[in-house]
Amino acid sequence: MARRPLPRILSSGTASLARGRDLARTAADSATDVLHPLLVIGRGLRILAAAGRRRWSETPKDKRGPALLLGAACVLVVALVPYGPLLALVTLMAAAAWRGRDRTPVKTGPSDAEAERLGSLYEALVPYFSIPEDPSPLFAHGGEWDKAFSGYEFDEAGRLTRLHIRYPAYFTDGEASSRARIEALLHAKSGRGREYLFDWDEEGNQLDLSVLAALPTGIAAQPFVTSPGESVLGFTDSSSVQRTLPVLEGEQPRDVPPVIWRTGPRSTEPHLLAVGQPGSGTSTLLRSLALQALRHGADVLIVDGGTSGEYACLTGRAGVLAVECGPVGAVATLEWAARETERRLIATHRAREAGRPAPEDTRRPLWILLDQPSVLAHLAVAEGGPDPMNHLQVPLRHGRPAHVTVVVAEQFDHLELLHDAVWQHTRARIVLGPAAIQQITDVLGLPPHTTPTSQVPPGRGYARLGTGAVHRLQVPATPDPYDEGTHPGYRQAVLALLPERQQGPAGAAGAAASVAPAGAVGPPAGAVGPAGAGPALVKVLDAPEPS
């Protein structure tokens, strides 16, 4: 039996339906183009009506009557004005067209320039994140970068600010050298002159790259809200610490995350070493620490090996025992500091044996600040005298139970002249100024978690306390107030923190007596100022205060 053919309408139905859909789509597009202004105005009227309804519902009931009266008066005025209804209608249509206009579409992907930058970065990572044995490599020449880069952000200039990278599990992310190669490559390809943070997730095989904002440089020395035994080394990123301090940046109050260094008998990092290049801010750091220690009632000894006079503002101040800048005086001052440390230990030991608290004079903090001591050591040895650094071993080794804190600031060129005791007992470390990653690693014991830049402001660097993490650091601006070339506001801030001057030799003798009690080894002659400056412990400067 022969099969009967299908009806014509059924056999040609598919083609007819396709032509019908095309005609309907074309008609709809044409109608949309023609009616687009009406659609925009209708959408705007709907938005205006919703806004008016919302405004009416938010109006209190006791104010709705006056609002209706005011609206009726406005309608009456518009109706009586010549061409008023027409102008009102035109204004309403214009407002509706404005509110119903098409909004700017949301950006859902990178632009052509951004995609090209991401593609070049992907191609640069291929030799590091791929091996020939991988059957389906995540990184391959000519591959798709969007499979490896799951998140990215760009700034207004088109430079990369954030990037989330997925890398293969066989990459040796546990080796510091492998991570360093990737970080150096990303730093070079993403743009130099900025500081990048690299967050490695070794468990998830992911790497987050982000650009760090610059640390604030306008915070001057001021009375920080800290307890005795705490010193503010500087300020860091909010993601590094869980504490903030209220400070004034210029005239604006703000809360910033600090790097707090704790000293005293319970401290695990009782001494500090700061290293930098000339002009990097190590002297600024020492002045900042000296002012904070004096504010908490400590005694301060300063040995200025740079002989630049940057600590003259502290000479003769209450609590400042000595400001020495000569080799002979430095030897005598550090010898007295070593004997004072021994005296405190003996007095504390005897008091504990007798079941009494330690004497008050042994619990008063003593700070020994040395700026470039290698210079004085070299001069002392050249003159045939003893090395002053030999007397620093006792305060370094036994200073913590005796409430003695030692801070040493040195330059990179003279690090080999530092004694082993300084390296062994300064568990708090700071590197300031521009430095290579290897130099920072040699001082701190760990490489920085960011990429150092070649141009940094004074006081900018890295800090590490003991075995903790490496923090970015910006030291508060504490310039020499006698230097007229510095910012006037910073100079006045330092002058406001300086203690009062001791009046005359009698006051200096009284200060010495309060520091060295009966039976203690007294300070050496000429312990203040250059060698042979006199027997007084504190030298009072008669120079007037700068305005």
Side-chain angles (χ1 to χ4, degrees):
M1 179 176 174
R3 178 179 298 178
R4 297 177 58 184
L6 292 173
R8 180 184 179 92
I9 187 173
L10 295 180
S11 61
S12 60
T14 303
S16 300
L17 290 176
R19 286 195 300 269
R21 283 197 299 267
D22 293 339
L23 292 175
R25 188 180 297 108
T26 303
D29 293 340
S30 301
T32 301
D33 294 339
V34 173
L35 300 177
H36 180 71
L38 296 179
L39 295 176
V40 171
I41 293 175
R43 184 166 57 245
L45 290 175
R46 186 175 64 254
I47 294 174
L48 290 176
R53 191 183 308 109
R54 184 171 57 255
R55 184 67 179 272
W56 177 258
S57 63
E58 294 175 355
T59 303
K61 294 183 178 181
D62 56 341
K63 296 183 179 180
R64 292 184 178 181
L68 286 176
L69 181 60
L70 179 61
C74 292
V75 171
L76 180 61
V77 171
V78 171
L80 295 178
V81 172
Y83 304 104
L86 180 60
L87 293 176
L89 180 61
V90 172
T91 303
L92 178 62
M93 293 298 103
W98 176 258
R99 294 300 301 271
R101 72 190 186 281
D102 293 334
R103 299 298 195 270
T104 302
V106 179
K107 182 180 178 181
T108 58
S111 62
D112 295 340
E114 294 172 353
E116 183 178 358
R117 183 179 291 269
L118 291 174
S120 63
L121 187 60
Y122 173 85
E123 292 290 337
L125 291 172
V126 169
Y128 301 92
F129 286 152
S130 64
I131 57 176
E133 295 81 6
D134 192 350
S136 57
L138 181 61
F139 286 81
H141 291 293
E144 300 178 359
W145 58 262
D146 54 350
K147 294 182 179 180
F149 301 157
S150 57
Y152 47 84
E153 291 181 4
F154 291 86
D155 58 9
E156 294 79 5
R159 296 193 302 175
L160 195 68
T161 59
R162 190 185 65 84
L163 182 64
H164 183 78
I165 303 175
R166 293 175 53 243
Y167 56 87
Y170 51 75
F171 175 71
T172 56
D173 52 3
E175 300 178 3
S177 58
S178 301
R179 294 196 304 268
R181 286 195 298 268
I182 299 299
E183 293 175 1
L185 174 65
L186 293 176
H187 182 201
K189 293 295 183 180
S190 302
R192 299 184 183 274
R194 299 185 297 173
E195 199 162 3
Y196 296 89
L197 172 65
F198 299 96
D199 185 10
W200 291 85
D201 182 9
E202 300 179 7
E203 184 178 0
N205 300 320
Q206 297 177 358
L207 169 62
D208 281 321
L209 176 148
S210 58
V211 178
L212 295 175
L215 295 177
T217 59
I219 302 177
Q222 53 193 281
F224 299 115
V225 184
T226 55
S227 60
E230 292 183 344
S231 299
V232 177
L233 298 178
F235 306 99
T236 184
D237 302 299
S238 57
S239 59
S240 300
V241 295
Q242 300 179 354
R243 177 178 176 180
T244 59
L245 283 182
V247 299
L248 288 176
E249 185 175 2
E251 299 295 335
Q252 298 295 328
R254 57 177 300 189
D255 292 338
V256 293
V259 178
I260 299 295
W261 177 39
R262 294 174 176 84
T263 58
R266 299 183 182 275
S267 172
T268 56
E269 303 89 20
H271 309 299
L272 183 140
L273 172 64
V275 184
Q277 302 287 356
S280 59
T282 53
S283 300
T284 296
L285 174 64
L286 263 61
R287 272 190 300 269
S288 176
L289 293 176
L291 292 176
Q292 296 181 60
L294 292 171
R295 178 173 171 266
H296 290 302
D299 295 323
V300 177
L301 284 172
I302 301 176
V303 177
D304 182 12
T307 64
S308 58
E310 294 190 0
Y311 303 95
C313 60
L314 296 171
T315 307
R317 303 286 179 175
V320 181
L321 305 183
V323 178
E324 178 56 55
C325 56
V328 178
V331 172
T333 301
L334 294 180
E335 182 181 2
W336 175 85
R339 294 181 180 178
E340 173 66 12
T341 304
E342 296 173 349
R343 182 197 69 80
R344 292 186 175 205
L345 292 175
I346 294 173
T348 302
H349 179 68
R350 290 176 179 175
R352 290 177 178 176
E353 284 185 338
R356 300 190 306 270
E360 181 66 25
D361 60 282
T362 63
R363 289 184 281 121
R364 183 181 177 90
L366 173 62
W367 285 64
I368 305 174
L369 307 180
L370 300 97
D371 192 357
Q372 301 183 44
S374 60
V375 177
L376 293 180
H378 177 75
L379 292 177
V381 174
E383 295 177 358
D387 187 354
M389 297 296 291
N390 294 331
H391 301 292
L392 196 61
Q393 297 188 20
V394 174
L396 285 172
R397 296 178 184 273
H398 310 290
R400 185 176 67 171
H403 294 268
V404 177
T405 301
V406 179
V407 180
V408 180
E410 193 54 85
Q411 297 182 5
F412 279 108
D413 298 338
H414 303 154
L415 287 181
E416 66 277 1
L417 300 179
L418 291 180
H419 285 210
D420 294 339
V422 176
W423 291 103
Q424 293 174 3
H425 299 283
T426 53
R427 295 173 51 83
R429 304 283 180 85
I430 292 178
V431 175
L432 298 179
I437 295 181
Q438 188 59 44
Q439 290 179 313
I440 300 175
T441 305
D442 293 341
V443 176
L444 302 182
L446 282 180
H449 61 294
T450 63
T451 53
T453 57
S454 57
Q455 299 293 332
V456 294
R460 175 69 177 83
Y462 298 91
R464 187 189 184 200
L465 303 179
T467 57
V470 178
H471 302 284
R472 290 206 305 165
L473 183 72
Q474 178 62 53
V475 178
T478 316
D480 180 10
Y482 293 168
D483 184 5
E484 297 182 355
T486 58
H487 192 281
Y490 298 160
R491 294 174 55 206
Q492 293 299 328
V494 175
L495 290 173
L497 295 177
L498 289 175
E500 296 294 332
R501 285 192 180 277
Q502 297 177 349
Q503 301 299 327
S514 65
V515 175
V521 178
V528 176
L537 180 61
V538 180
K539 179 181 179 181
V540 180
L541 293 182
D542 297 330
E545 296 284 0
S547 58

